[in-house]
Structures are given as C-alpha cells and as structure tokens.
Amino acid sequence: MHIDTILCTEMNKIKCVILDFDGTLGDTASVIIQTMQATIAELGLPQRSDEECVAMIGLRLIEIPQVLFPECGDIGELYAETYRRLFYTFNTDEAVQLYPNVMSTLEELKRRGITLAIASSRSHASLAGYMKSLGLETLISCVLGADDVKEGKPNPEAVNRILAAYHCEASEAIVVGDTTYDIQMGRNAGTRTCGVTYGNGSRESLNDADWVIDDFGDLLILAE
C-alpha cells in the first residue's frame, strides 16, 4: 500500500518507531553473504546461491540451517558458532554503511519526540558495535537483539517488550523493516507496519505492510 492522505494522518499518532537493522538502517548484505558462504564452505554444507543466502536475512542464526539445509539435521548451534567466528574476518572498518537519509531522518524523528528502538535478529553485541561505529548511540533508546529474546521474528516478543518498556500502545507504534519477517512481527504485535524496498526483501514480500517506501526519508512524510 502506498502513502496516502488517510494513512499519513494516522501516522501522526505514532510515538514509537521500531526498526529492523540489517537491510533497513545498515547495508550489511555484502558482509552477511561473505560470512554465510564462508560458513557453508567450512562446514562442508551443500552450496547455496547468494540469493538463497539473502533470503535468510531476518532469521536468527540458529534458525537458518533448518530452512536453508533441512536435509542436514540439527546443526543450528554449530552453524551459529562458526558464523560468529568468521563474521569478524569480513566485518572490517567501514564495511557497513547506513543507507541514504537514515541518519538525518532518525535525527529528525528524535527531535520530534518519537522514541526510536531496534528489534533485530542480529546479536546484541554486534548491534552495540554498529550503534557505536555508525553514530547511532544517542538516537536509539532501546536495542533488542536475537539473544535478548526467547522467540525470534516473526514472533512479536521483541516488539511487545519495547512497547511495555516505553508505556506505548500498539496503535501508537510502527515497525519498519525490509523483509516479511519484520512485517509479520509488527502485525503479530498489532502495530502498524512499513516496508522498505531498498533492502534485502522484494516489494512483493512487503504486500502486507500498511506502507511501502523506497527511501528511508519518506518516514518523515508519513510523520508530518
């Protein structure tokens, strides 16, 4: 669904914006693909294309093998451990950058008094590193990673915890992400949802979102 006058009016009620990180704020696809392919090679797993790897972004590491390698049994812990070790080989300085207009948009939303939070399938430690290196620490009020919750996306646990922490009703929040896992998480929590098309998901996979935008800066149009 595209931006229209009625939905823009509804967006004025938003007090909390809950953001995905990978593919929404930070362009991490290259680092993730390189790490996944190196993990697959080291563990001797069946080859998968870059496109198949990208489709896994949004799931917790431990959950990826059961989707990507269902024939290989219970290797979630081994896969996650190997991935985390190899990740630092590819996550070099400046390997990850914010998408266009992310910083200025977050600064403006913060100035307007909107609470900004992150709900990600990435580990908390990794997110904390990016918050510091990308200059987001003073803008983001709450960061929840994969190891901060019992249930990953699309389960709404992370969203519900953020809403409770900031005394915010679901109707006063919006979840912003680039994959169907993000949109489903928001819908399961009862929030409104916004899909971004520049990340790792397809426009078709975002059809269930209340809004779909091509530029992160369009969040400011919604919030006018």
Side-chain angles (χ1 to χ4, degrees), residues 9 11 21 23-24 27 36 38 46 84 101-102 104 129 132 147 163 171 174 182 203:
T9 299
M11 182 65 182
F21 180 78
T24 300
D27 186 0
M36 287 186 70
R84 292 189 187 101
N101 299 320
V102 165
S104 60
K132 183 176 182 179
D147 46 339
L163 295 179
S171 61
I174 183 170
D182 302 309
R203 179 175 287 274

Side-chain angles (χ1 to χ4, degrees), residues 57-106:
I57 297 177
L59 293 174
R60 295 189 293 182
L61 290 177
I62 196 172
E63 298 168 337
I64 288 175
Q66 63 187 1
V67 179
L68 200 55
F69 310 104
E71 71 276 27
C72 293
D74 185 11
I75 59 169
E77 292 287 355
L78 176 61
Y79 176 90
E81 179 183 337
T82 306
Y83 179 99
R84 292 189 187 101
R85 174 170 49 79
L86 294 174
F87 175 75
Y88 294 100
T89 302
F90 303 101
N91 188 41
T92 56
D93 291 344
E94 300 184 357
V96 172
Q97 299 293 323
L98 296 175
Y99 284 104
N101 299 320
V102 165
M103 180 62 78
S104 60
T105 301
L106 293 179

Side-chain angles (χ1 to χ4, degrees), residues 139-210:
L139 298 174
I140 305 299
S141 299
C142 178
V143 175
L144 288 184
D147 46 339
D148 294 317
V149 295
K150 293 181 179 179
E151 301 291 340
K153 302 176 184 179
N155 186 284
E157 179 186 348
V159 174
N160 289 336
R161 286 182 56 182
I162 292 169
L163 295 179
Y166 293 95
H167 308 289
C168 184
E169 298 294 329
S171 61
E172 298 173 320
I174 183 170
V175 170
V176 183
D178 65 313
T179 72
T180 183
Y181 304 114
D182 302 309
I183 303 307
Q184 290 174 358
M185 177 179 66
R187 291 176 66 86
N188 288 339
T191 71
R192 278 164 284 182
T193 56
C194 178
V196 301
T197 61
Y198 54 77
N200 301 306
S202 65
R203 179 175 287 274
E204 292 72 24
S205 69
L206 302 171
N207 281 339
D208 288 338
D210 295 307

